Amino acid sequence: MNKVLVVGSINMDLVVETDKVPDLGETLLGQHFNTHPGGKGANQAVAASRLGAQVTLIGCVGNDTFGADLLSGLKQENINTQFIRITDQAATGIALITVSQSENAIIVVPGANHILSPADIYAAESAFIEADVVLSQLEVTLPVIQAAAEIAARHNKPFLLNPAPAAPLPDSILQNTALLTPNEHELAIVFSTTAETWQETLQKHPAKVVMTHGRHGAWFTNTAGELQHQPGIPVRAVDTTGAGDTFNGTLAAFWGMDMGEICRLACAAGALSVTRPGAQGGMPTHKELFDFLAALNADKPA
Ligand code: RIB
């Protein structure tokens, strides 16, 4: 199993469950309120760690209760937190999440995640040397991503980037990225394409992009530019928060295997993740993932 280095965000998710999302100016009564550990970086680190990868996370939290709780949770998930900075300059990042009919709407306040600097990344160079694969997202600043992609390239480590939340990416990052994992909406923003279909964009970047498609699975191209599809696995969804993160963490954990097989595992892990509340709540262990796949195969007619 891979040694995975994640460079990314750490948030406390403040989650309200409601039957209906309020309109502007409207007040509603919700059903439940909960706090859950989150942040795309932390979520992807936890997903990879539960599957058995050896994971180090580079990030930043505030010197506050949320930060302390999140750090101790990451340690319990067997994640190396040695390169997580605690800052007095900002509060720990939070995400305000409304879950309605299993779908979500999210506002992130980055806080300490935006204090993480390129200098922090350079100071953690030894972690890049140790890693088999480096994984990042866009909840930390672009200069931080740029530094991570550059150090990964310098040490010949594949750099995987989940471009969420979406932003147009400078060529310097794209050139140092082995694989991008946008959804359909993020794909158009990352490549600044409005005139072409997502199929055309994927075909223009052979074996460089896996496009996630929610419950419909994932699409990617092989080195010849031919479109490939991994269908999603139908499950009863409770909370879809963190499904994409589970997909990405799984991808990093199994990086190096055939892309079709990695996507099959990542879709199955993503499907399991939505069956429990919270971004990290349903992320499967290695055993849970393979038991689930075995049960699916057993159900198939011979
Ligand atoms: O991808 C889900 C995550 O996005 C949540 O955990 C929230 O913190 C936001 O960063």
Side-chain angles (χ1 to χ4, degrees):
M1 193 63 75
N2 282 328
K3 287 186 188 159
V4 177
L5 173 62
V6 181
V7 178
S9 59
I10 305 166
N11 294 335
M12 188 59 88
D13 290 352
L14 313 178
V15 185
V16 168
E17 286 170 50
T18 171
D19 286 338
K20 176 185 178 290
V21 178
D23 295 325
L24 275 184
E26 186 183 15
T27 302
L28 291 173
L29 293 185
Q31 268 70 52
H32 302 282
F33 170 75
N34 274 301
T35 55
H36 295 288
K40 292 186 195 300
N43 292 343
Q44 295 181 18
V46 169
S49 179
R50 290 225 183 128
L51 292 169
Q54 236 175 285
V55 181
T56 296
L57 174 60
I58 303 178
C60 186
V61 294
N63 190 7
D64 47 35
T65 316
F66 283 166
D69 289 351
L70 290 166
L71 261 182
S72 102
L74 289 166
K75 284 178 191 151
Q76 277 168 30
E77 295 283 353
N78 294 319
I79 291 166
N80 176 7
T81 59
Q82 172 191 359
F83 297 106
I84 297 179
R85 176 143 76 98
I86 302 174
T87 182
D88 286 317
Q89 288 172 262
T92 297
I94 63 105
L96 213 52
I97 304 184
T98 307
V99 176
S100 186
Q101 322 291 341
S102 83
E103 296 296 335
N104 60 55
I106 306 182
I107 301 174
V108 173
V109 181
N113 294 304
H114 277 192
I115 299 294
L116 189 73
S117 71
D120 293 317
I121 308 305
Y122 286 105
E125 186 156 1
S126 59
F128 287 76
I129 295 169
E130 281 282 303
D132 295 314
V133 58
V134 182
L135 172 64
S136 202
Q137 323 73 29
L138 298 183
E139 284 187 341
V140 289
T141 63
L142 279 183
V144 163
I145 304 294
Q146 207 144 7
E150 191 260 304
I151 302 175
R154 188 159 7 112
H155 294 290
N156 276 324
K157 307 293 172 159
F159 183 71
L160 318 184
L161 181 59
N162 173 220
L169 292 176
D171 282 348
S172 55
I173 292 182
L174 287 174
Q175 277 156 11
N176 286 330
T177 301
L179 187 82
L180 284 158
T181 59
N183 62 23
E184 187 176 349
H185 160 78
E186 290 154 359
L187 182 81
I189 296 175
V190 166
F191 290 105
S192 310
T193 52
T194 41
E196 63 189 28
T197 63
W198 62 260
Q199 290 90 339
E200 287 166 336
T201 311
L202 287 191
Q203 281 162 335
K204 265 195 193 168
H205 302 277
K208 253 207 117 166
V209 183
V210 171
M211 189 189 86
T212 54
H213 209 191
R215 72 175 76 91
H216 305 296
W219 290 87
F220 56 99
T221 45
N222 59 18
T223 44
E226 294 158 342
L227 268 181
Q228 316 281 308
H229 182 220
Q230 172 59 50
I233 299 167
V235 287
R236 205 179 145 271
V238 170
D239 180 358
T240 56
T241 314
D245 296 331
T246 310
F247 185 95
N248 280 281
T250 308
L251 207 123
F254 292 105
W255 182 256
M257 291 169 64
D258 166 73
M259 186 50 80
E261 178 59 5
I262 299 181
C263 284
R264 186 177 81 93
L265 297 172
C267 282
L272 278 173
S273 77
V274 305
T275 59
R276 289 189 211 139
Q280 297 170 13
M283 288 174 177
T285 61
H286 190 278
K287 180 175 184 322
E288 285 167 342
L289 175 60
F290 283 90
D291 283 354
F292 177 62
L293 286 165
L296 285 176
N297 283 336
D299 280 351
K300 274 195 194 147

